[in-house]
Amino acid sequence: MVMQMMPKHRKLIRWMILILAVAGGLFLLNTVFFCAWVSGGPPNDYPKAWLHQSYIYFGYSGALLGTGIMGFVALREQFNWKKSIVFYLWIPFTIYCIAGPIIRKQILIDKCLDSGGKWDELHFVCKGE
């Protein structure tokens, strides 16, 4: 019974996944712009921390948009994930989007500690360089 109903609703589910993912991705993109604005706009004590938060939300936004597109493509009638280039592009793209800011943070911390400085997590800067 469920398998008979799925083809009727497949088109609706595909479009709902795409619309929700795009809406969520655009909401996160708005947060990206806000964090980037705060990092360079009004004076504050944590500009680099705000910039890093912008990178994090940008990664989440990209991963959500990519997942929405992948869900839209994957719910087609004759979708075969073994032969789909979209599927094989989606996996590394999503991993890059989510892990990119984390790897960037670790690289900055390692550079700081290797140069003899002390990493200030709150301000997201290296002290004592």
Side-chain angles (χ1 to χ4, degrees), residues 25 28-29 56-68 90 93-94 97:
L28 288 173
L29 204 56
I56 291 171
Y57 284 124
F58 188 68
Y60 291 164
S61 175
L64 188 58
L65 290 170
T67 301
W90 169 70
F93 177 74
T94 304
C97 285

Side-chain angles (χ1 to χ4, degrees), residues 14-128:
R14 285 178 68 204
W15 281 103
M16 287 303 296
I17 287 174
L18 182 65
I19 289 169
L20 289 174
V22 167
L26 290 176
F27 177 75
L28 288 173
L29 204 56
N30 182 48
T31 308
V32 168
F33 292 132
F34 174 75
C35 291
W37 173 76
V38 170
S39 74
N44 66 65
D45 294 334
Y46 314 101
K48 293 193 179 195
W50 279 103
L51 185 62
H52 181 69
Q53 197 65 31
S54 176
Y55 290 141
I56 291 171
Y57 284 124
F58 188 68
Y60 291 164
S61 175
L64 188 58
L65 290 170
T67 301
I69 292 169
M70 181 61 211
F72 183 76
V73 171
L75 286 173
R76 289 183 311 193
E77 292 286 333
Q78 283 79 28
F79 180 75
N80 184 358
W81 66 272
K82 290 181 181 178
K83 294 180 180 178
S84 174
I85 189 75
V86 175
F87 178 74
Y88 291 110
L89 291 175
W90 169 70
I91 291 174
F93 177 74
T94 304
I95 291 170
Y96 174 76
C97 285
I98 293 173
I102 298 167
I103 293 170
R104 177 185 176 270
K105 177 182 175 181
Q106 292 305 316
I107 289 172
L108 290 173
I109 292 172
D110 287 344
K111 281 173 136 179
C112 174
L113 297 178
D114 288 345
S115 68
K118 181 180 177 190
W119 184 255
D120 182 4
E121 185 72 28
L122 182 63
H123 292 94
F124 205 77
V125 294
C126 186
K127 301 282 183 169

